[in-house]
Amino acid sequence: TRKWIGEIINLCITPGDHAPLEISLALSRILTDLAIDADKGAAGPDLSVPVMHAQEFIDRHYTNQITLDEIARASLLSPYHLSRIFKMQTGLAPHAYLLRQRIDKAKRLLLTTQMSIQDISEQVGFSNVNIFIRSFKNAMGMTPTAFRSKNFY
């Protein structure tokens, strides 16, 4: 966020032909970063230590193919017990939380880079671009390409 604020200040000091567009893009990036960060904190502080460990494991390893067993091992619970208390405390199953993290990271990459949909799909942990596109559309109501176009122009 500081980086984008600095960029806006520089554009205001030495405006170029594309300064309004670049300022708009920087503001969009700031708002996206803030929205994603706010969404992360929405779960609140009332999480048990095993659920926090599970979330931390997912947050660190979302780019890999991870299983419920691996997440459960990180939280020191059985997969069944972890699934039950994770959903009770966060409102999401562990897999749904993982998917949300991947989609959030993909949204950020779609808005802040020119990476291809295929590359973004791989970067956020999807093994197949078609699964990524379908998951993104289910979560956002539009394809990644439509999301990028809608938010860039």
Side-chain angles (χ1 to χ4, degrees):
T1 303
R2 287 182 186 182
K3 172 186 167 190
W4 302 124
I5 292 171
E7 186 175 317
I8 291 170
I9 292 169
N10 289 336
L11 288 167
C12 290
I13 294 170
T14 55
D17 293 339
H18 302 290
L21 181 60
E22 292 176 30
I23 290 171
S24 176
L25 180 60
L27 286 172
S28 175
R29 289 174 175 164
I30 290 170
L31 292 173
T32 300
D33 288 348
L34 291 173
I36 290 170
D37 291 344
D39 194 36
K40 280 184 184 175
D46 297 332
L47 299 177
S48 65
V49 171
V51 170
M52 286 190 293
H53 285 176
Q55 284 184 328
E56 289 167 5
F57 181 85
I58 292 169
D59 293 344
R60 277 194 318 273
H61 300 285
Y62 72 92
T63 60
N64 303 325
Q65 298 303 310
I66 56 178
T67 65
L68 179 59
D69 285 339
E70 292 170 319
I71 299 167
R73 271 195 300 277
S75 67
L76 303 176
L77 295 175
S78 72
Y80 171 78
H81 190 61
L82 172 66
S83 293
R84 207 168 52 77
I85 68 166
F86 194 100
K87 179 150 185 160
M88 187 181 358
Q89 292 180 20
T90 68
L92 296 170
H95 177 75
Y97 179 81
L98 170 62
L99 183 60
R100 188 178 77 182
Q101 292 303 95
R102 288 177 172 166
I103 297 297
D104 285 347
K105 303 299 184 198
K107 290 187 318 191
R108 182 176 288 180
L109 291 171
L110 287 163
L111 295 176
T112 61
T113 72
Q114 292 300 315
M115 292 172 64
S116 71
I117 303 303
Q118 173 76 40
D119 290 344
I120 290 173
S121 150
E122 291 170 5
Q123 176 123 6
V124 300
F126 285 90
S127 59
N128 180 305
V129 70
N130 294 321
I131 294 172
F132 166 64
I133 292 169
R134 186 173 47 240
S135 298
F136 193 95
K137 187 171 183 179
N138 286 341
M140 301 304 299
M142 64 183 81
T143 65
T145 302
F147 178 84
R148 178 180 266 166
S149 296
K150 181 179 180 186
N151 287 288
F152 260 141
Y153 304 110

